[in-house]
Amino acid sequence: GDSVTQMEGPVTLSEEAFLTINCTYTATGYPSLFWYVQYPGEGLQLLLKATKADDKGSNKGFEATYRKETTSFHLEKGSVQVSDSAVYFCALSTARAGGTSYGKLTFGQGTILTVHP
Amino acid sequence: KAGVTQTPRYLIKTRGQQVTLSCSPISGHRSVSWYQQTPGQGLQFLFEYFSETQRNKGNFPGRFSGRQFSNSRSEMNVSTLELGDSALYLCASRSTGGTQYFGPGTRLLVL
């Protein structure tokens, strides 16, 4: 079945440091890939997405490129801020017409990011 | 547009009781999915409804059920609550482009 693996956490960085959170996946067909962020006490917010190979999703300084050859979707940010402290989830969807995966996102285990001033 | 809303935000129940959670999707979205989030199991898919029909279901016991109304609002019900049902229950509405947008969740504590 479909699965997503994220790098082990937690990740602790100083403000303005470079961030990478690794994400690899296993899926049948051609999934869409997502990064969601969860702040304490809140639901999930969509951070960025990519729907086909070599697409780059970006938002708020975060970027991730859909790499089909390495089945990866690593999240990067050049300079993190204290306000980026949160839990980050990589997810995939293989929903397609007539398929059985409609409405289902498969998530990684989440990576806790803490940024210190 | 208003986002996904979930009520109530917090619930405390005792073992053996049942509970109903409500979700209102983004206006115009016809698909609603439910997820359970726990520290041990992470985020797990419960089920998805589209136009009042359950279209997909995760690997949860029959105590977990749901429904969707003609206005796309959805409810999920958990009967005979167990301690292990304590979790954050998240609802997401899906755009025609396939992206899911989440509500703030309902935090259920079973004592």
Side-chain angles (χ1 to χ4, degrees):
Chain A
D2 300 340
S3 67
V4 176
T5 302
Q6 288 182 232
M7 66 184 289
E8 295 282 334
V11 174
T12 302
L13 296 172
S14 298
E15 206 165 27
E16 299 184 4
F18 183 84
L19 168 70
T20 299
I21 301 178
N22 290 339
C23 171
T24 57
Y25 67 89
T26 302
T28 52
Y30 302 98
S32 295
L33 302 173
F34 306 85
W35 277 100
Y36 284 87
V37 58
Q38 186 174 36
Y39 297 99
E42 299 185 11
L44 301 177
Q45 296 180 23
L46 177 68
L47 184 57
L48 52 84
K49 69 175 183 179
T51 58
K52 61 183 187 296
D54 300 324
D55 267 1
K56 177 185 282 189
S58 62
N59 186 28
K60 299 181 182 179
F62 291 90
E63 293 183 340
T65 301
Y66 188 143
R67 301 288 188 198
K68 184 170 177 290
E69 63 277 9
T70 55
T71 61
S72 65
F73 193 54
H74 304 322
L75 182 69
E76 296 183 335
K77 186 175 185 184
S79 176
V80 294
Q81 306 299 312
V82 172
S83 58
D84 294 327
S85 298
V87 183
Y88 292 81
F89 293 92
C90 184
L92 68 81
S93 170
T94 56
R96 59 193 180 280
T100 58
S101 299
Y102 261 113
K104 178 181 178 181
L105 283 169
T106 299
F107 287 90
Q109 68 270 38
T111 300
I112 301 172
L113 171 66
T114 303
V115 180
H116 292 300
Chain B
K1 277 185 181 179
V4 178
T5 58
Q6 292 187 244
T7 56
R9 292 293 310 278
Y10 304 93
L11 267 179
I12 300 176
K13 294 286 186 179
T14 56
R15 280 180 296 174
Q17 288 187 309
Q18 74 165 17
V19 66
T20 300
L21 312 181
S22 180
C23 171
S24 292
I26 293 169
S27 178
H29 289 190
R30 295 165 61 191
S31 165
V32 173
S33 295
W34 289 88
Y35 296 83
Q36 181 195 65
Q37 185 178 24
T38 59
Q41 298 298 316
L43 282 152
Q44 294 186 287
F45 172 74
L46 280 156
F47 30 64
E48 187 247 3
Y49 285 87
F50 179 84
S51 293
E52 303 178 64
T53 301
Q54 187 183 88
R55 197 161 57 172
N56 198 2
K57 189 177 190 307
N59 189 25
F60 278 82
R63 299 185 298 106
F64 292 82
S65 63
R67 59 177 176 169
Q68 186 180 34
F69 302 95
S70 58
N71 61 358
S72 294
R73 190 177 70 85
S74 177
E75 290 181 346
M76 69 163 281
N77 183 277
V78 188
S79 62
T80 318
L81 284 166
E82 300 177 359
L83 295 179
D85 297 332
S86 295
L88 180 67
Y89 291 88
L90 292 163
C91 162
S93 78
R94 182 175 178 271
S95 69
T96 51
T99 299
Q100 294 193 26
Y101 298 91
F102 286 80
T106 294
R107 188 163 297 279
L108 171 65
L109 177 61
V110 181
L111 301 175

